[in-house]
Amino acid sequence: MLRAMLALALFTQAAAAEDFSSAMLKGADLSGQDLAGSDFSGAFLGEANLTGTTVDGATFDGALLTGATMTGCSAKGAIFTGAVLKDADLSGCALAGADFTGALLEGASLAGADLTGASLRSSLMAGADLTGATVTEVDFTDARLCDALMPDGTRGAC
């Protein structure tokens, strides 16, 4: 509990490259912060607001981001392996080179996001929205795209 309170206090100071691993940050307002390179491994960020936040190179390995709002964020090269982003809003985010291997993106919005060179290997993307997303050189190997809305407006096969 104290660790989470300290973590929230640091956000008001626009801390960068901090260790927030395993922090309880449910519903936290982190919008507009520069948290590039920070470690959010195993953190609970459900319903958190990361609108316009810079988390380039940050690690969200195994983090819970269910219902998080990350619209317009910059998460270039960020690591989301095994993260839970169910119903998260990443629309318009810069996600070039991000690693979503094994992530749960069910119902997530990636509309208009730049996923150039990202890895979505073995991710579960049922019902996700990729409308207008840039998917150049994206690795969709073994990704499950059942009923996902693809960049061209078609639905992913089940």
Side-chain angles (χ1 to χ4, degrees), residues 23-47:
M24 177 64 80
L25 300 167
K26 180 180 182 192
D29 184 358
L30 316 175
S31 58
Q33 299 294 318
D34 182 355
L35 299 166
S38 293
D39 184 1
F40 291 94
S41 297
F44 183 66
L45 291 148
E47 301 170 12

Side-chain angles (χ1 to χ4, degrees), residues 40-48 60-68 82-85:
F40 291 94
S41 297
F44 183 66
L45 291 148
E47 301 170 12
F60 292 88
D61 186 41
L64 300 174
L65 293 127
T66 303
V84 177
L85 294 124

